[in-house]
Amino acid sequence: MMVLTKKMIEIRSILQTVGQSNALTLPSIVVIGSQSSGKSSVLEAIVGHEFLPKGSNMVTRRPIELTLVNTPDAHAEYGEFPALGLGKITDFSQIQRTLTELNLAVPDSECVSDDPIQLTISSPHVPDLSLIDLPGYIQVAGHDQPLELKQKITDLCDKYIQPPNVILAISAADVDLANSTALRASRRVDPRGERTIGVVTKMDLVDATRGASILNDRKYPLRLGYVGVVSRVPQQPSHLFKRGNGGIASAITRNENAFFSAHPLEFGQESGVSVGTTTLRKKLMQVLEQTMAASLQSTSDAIRQELEEATYEFKVQYNDRPLSAESYLAESLDGFKHSFKEFTEHFGRPQVREMLKEELDQRVLDLLAAKYWNKPVTNLFPATAEPDSLADLPKADPDNLYWHRKLDASTSALTKLGIGRLATTVVANAIQANVDRLIAHSTFASHPFARQAITEAASGILNERFYSTSDQVENCIKPYKFEIDVEDGEWARGREHATGVLKNELRAVEEAVKNVEKNVGSKRKLKDVMGFVEKARKGEVIVGDDGKTGAGGFSSDLLERGKEALFLSDRAILLKLRLQALKSPQCATKANKYHCPEIFLDVVSTKLVSTAVLFLNVELLSEFFYQFPRELDIRLGRGLGREEVERFAREDPRVKGHLDVIRRKELLELVLEKMEGVRDLESSKRERERAR
Ligand code: GDP
């Protein structure tokens, strides 16, 4: 049993998952030969299956790194492409098709590529071997092939036939060995013939004496010798031998044995030459085992060096901090839930009340502006037939139905605004915005997958609660649609609050005017343009349609600013008038509510908000605060599979780097441990041999 090779092959597949550097490459047997020298046939005879691409049009375009794994206790034979994740393929014609596709994916214009295809074949009938099949050497490039193809193939093969690899040089018996491209190539890199095995195929095509003399060749002596084979699949009636998925090993061996035993003198025990696929297999196993043993030390050293680098990187870049995808997710989730908990402590009834009140204040402001203060400033003071201006409002006759209707209409415009929907929307939006803010400040910020999961968790709950919440709120404010009682205290607070709202609004407008001023450059200039716009409005000057060219010596841009400033200053005048009205002595008492719609509507909006908040708290906030962390657990905790957790963690490049270095370190430690074991095994074997 070739224990060492088996272990080393295991080790190599671990190293492959680490993304091993070239230094760690363990020895393989590299198969080279001219096109049609019988290279594929030899490999297939060793594997016992036809699985390599066939065809005349350069079908091997990429190196095939073939790992054979002996599975003595298993019945099944299968191939796997580790890089493709296709799983175990038991149909060898399927393997052949896949290999053909992978090779033909290299465009005709390039013809060869040095990107290897990895294929592992596991079977109780194969030895543990690692072989690399390369594109066959060509004599001259075909008319549809690039001229430099010959050189490209040579370069690719040269890359692989370096030490510590073993070279399997294939030559056909019916071609003079002196002309063998494979042997010539091997001689270049292995002039003393120390790591080359010569294989002479198609022994059946030359007569036995000549065949035997080829195998005894002394011109290019090889320490590992030559082996003669007949590895073509024999043509037999189909009932005796099934081509395709069935094994071809025994048919080849029978055919080969028949041929060689027919010439005992040339190929028999006494002849001193090696022949047969079985002999070749054994030789390959022995040679590879010895080569593996010889490279144990250097491979261990290379792995140790790699491990030291990984350890150093772990220490310097990651401070030796342990991490796993699971722990990272769990910590991130905990952190997020914690920040959510903090948010819930600062987002309760008072905050919701304030938010809603602000929203309604704005509505009241606009609503009253439309109902009471809807004339342009210039038209405000001239006496009109209708009592409808600041001039009239303070004198409003409380018995005049006109003012009653006006206030009633304003009030019902407010109560029938759709408070239920509005309030629920405002709060739901605020919650969603806060969740977004929490995400942005959490480790999840750099994880698109988690961001989406969290956002969806929040919107899912909010959407689900939306209709029932807004219905409940709407229902409970219903009484205010019919009757509103105001107490003295409420009136006083309303007056104060409404004053504050108007003042704030006025400040904002004045601020905006200042900004326009700044934009225009000077107060003076703005005044000029405002004057012009004012005149234009009254029809005193004519501004053409062509806004682009401007008018009155002002650019169109400047005119726009003038209009904006005029609008703002009109608004400021109105706001001042509204404030003035609020301050008037009439507004001190609720008895004069018809004089003071600003205060009355403020009181109404406060009542609406207080009632809405009670229901929003129960129906939306409490529910959300309870459900959201549970929903997070489902979407990002228990509900995630291992692979998803891994994929999640690796979304963040820093975490990926951290996880990679840990994995690399762990795998290298594992490999090194295994290597030590293998070395112990080897040295005890040597000791036993010495003792014998
Ligand atoms: P490759 O191009 O080097 O891979 O060569 P193949 O293995 O495809 O073989 C080329 C041709 O030689 C095919 O038609 C094979 O059937 C034939 N061939 C391979 N080995 C032998 C052999 O030992 N004896 C005979 N007579 N033909 C062989």
Side-chain angles (χ1 to χ4, degrees), residues 2-74:
M2 304 290 154
V3 181
L4 179 62
T5 307
K6 188 169 200 65
K7 296 252 174 263
M8 294 296 259
I9 284 176
E10 262 173 43
I11 287 172
R12 199 180 53 157
S13 63
I14 301 175
L15 288 174
Q16 263 165 356
T17 65
V18 185
Q20 106 218 64
S21 71
N22 281 340
L24 296 188
T25 312
L26 295 173
S28 286
I29 296 169
V30 181
V31 191
I32 53 169
S34 318
Q35 254 182 350
S36 300
S37 57
K39 199 156 60 72
S40 315
S41 303
V42 172
L43 280 169
E44 290 181 338
I46 291 169
V47 173
H49 284 278
E50 289 182 88
F51 69 99
L52 288 168
K54 297 278 155 62
S56 52
N57 185 31
M58 274 280 310
V59 277
T60 306
R61 300 182 173 195
R62 294 168 62 181
I64 303 175
E65 295 186 0
L66 177 64
T67 304
L68 303 185
V69 179
N70 180 253
T71 49
D73 304 326

Side-chain angles (χ1 to χ4, degrees), residues 156-171:
L156 175 58
C157 293
D158 280 359
K159 222 174 97 176
Y160 277 93
I161 56 181
Q162 301 305 323
N165 287 339
V166 174
I167 304 168
L168 196 66
I170 312 275
S171 319

